[in-house]
Amino acid sequence: MNDHVLARASFTCMEQSTKEDWQLIVPEAMKMAKALPDRILDHLRLLDGDFGGFPVDRLTHSRQTATLALKDGRDEEYVVCALLHDIGDTLGSFNHPDIAAAILKPFVSDENHWMVQHHGVFQGYNFFHHIGLDRNMRDQFKAHPSYEHTAEFVALYDNRAFDPAQPAEPLETFAPMLRRLMASPRNSIYKAAMQPAAQAQ
Ligand SMILES: [Fe+2]
Ligand SMILES: [Fe+2]
């Protein structure tokens, strides 16, 4: 009865895979892709209660950053970037901005992608001098077209999202925005192969 659930491709090395195998796998990949926002929300919840010495936990910081951007009239893509910018804290101990940037890359503009990927260096202007680093590390990017965009994100939102008294919207406020943004990728090497399945849904 649930043959499609039980069905498995039969190849043991990829070069032996057939079109029929991929007719099984691609719909499964589409289901997996459709549930991406749910996995992201679950992963954001891992930051709940994770203070790491900061005045607010990492989920609160993420919600405050997104709330500030939302209240400032930023568009949904930007607000989602704000919400996710530190999602890599659990896995990228030495490069957390790269994690969020990789997750967001298929769905956002080059400018917002660059902003998320480099926000750590720009936030460093506010504290690197306290830990023996160069607070002006961001200056290496002075000529980059997204420098001001990224400096502004940090100054207006990321920098200001550490106040325990500051209101923050719940994740449920942002979930529909996340789902809309990730409904279909704008950039992906797999886009053309997965597009028909996406349109059929
Ligand atoms: Fe960060
Ligand atoms: Fe942050």
Side-chain angles (χ1 to χ4, degrees):
M1 48 186 178
N2 277 328
D3 285 349
H4 69 287
V5 174
L6 299 172
R8 297 284 185 274
S10 56
F11 58 87
T12 54
C13 57
M14 192 73 99
E15 67 179 353
Q16 292 175 348
S17 66
T18 64
K19 185 168 184 174
E20 288 69 33
D21 287 329
W22 287 98
Q23 285 172 342
L24 282 175
I25 294 168
V26 169
E28 293 299 316
M30 286 308 306
K31 274 190 249 170
M32 186 78 172
K34 198 173 177 187
L36 176 60
D38 296 313
R39 293 193 299 279
I40 287 174
L41 290 168
D42 285 346
H43 206 94
L44 280 169
R45 291 187 187 101
L46 294 178
L47 305 178
D48 191 12
D50 177 6
F51 284 82
F54 286 91
V56 297
D57 67 57
R58 288 184 162 103
L59 177 58
T60 301
H61 169 68
S62 301
R63 291 191 294 113
Q64 285 189 357
T65 305
T67 299
L68 287 166
L70 180 65
K71 289 184 174 171
D72 213 16
R74 297 289 177 168
D75 63 29
E76 284 194 357
E77 178 180 315
Y78 192 100
V79 171
V80 172
C81 286
L83 182 70
L84 267 58
H85 78 283
D86 280 338
I87 196 171
D89 272 338
T90 52
L91 293 173
S93 294
F94 299 97
N95 66 333
H96 77 272
D98 288 330
I99 307 290
I103 293 169
L104 286 160
K105 189 174 183 180
F107 308 104
V108 301
S109 67
D110 289 346
E111 187 176 44
N112 282 337
H113 176 257
W114 200 92
M115 174 183 86
V116 171
Q117 189 163 31
H118 293 85
H119 81 266
V121 174
F122 284 70
Q123 184 68 284
Y125 180 76
N126 296 315
F127 74 94
F128 275 0
H129 49 298
H130 298 310
I131 59 171
L133 299 176
D134 176 12
R135 71 182 305 191
N136 296 310
M137 202 182 286
R138 65 180 187 174
D139 287 357
Q140 66 188 291
F141 301 116
K142 263 261 157 47
H144 194 280
S146 297
Y147 179 97
E148 290 301 333
H149 186 65
T150 305
E152 181 187 60
F153 167 72
V154 168
L156 295 181
Y157 313 121
D158 195 11
N159 169 53
R160 295 177 177 171
F162 295 95
D163 179 358
Q166 184 166 253
E169 291 290 325
L171 278 181
E172 289 69 27
T173 296
F174 304 110
M177 303 179 198
L178 181 65
R179 294 187 198 288
R180 281 191 287 269
L181 183 70
M182 298 194 163
S184 69
R186 61 166 85 173
N187 310 299
S188 167
I189 60 169
Y190 306 110
K191 183 175 175 178
M194 294 172 83
Q195 201 73 356
Q199 287 171 349
Q201 289 177 8

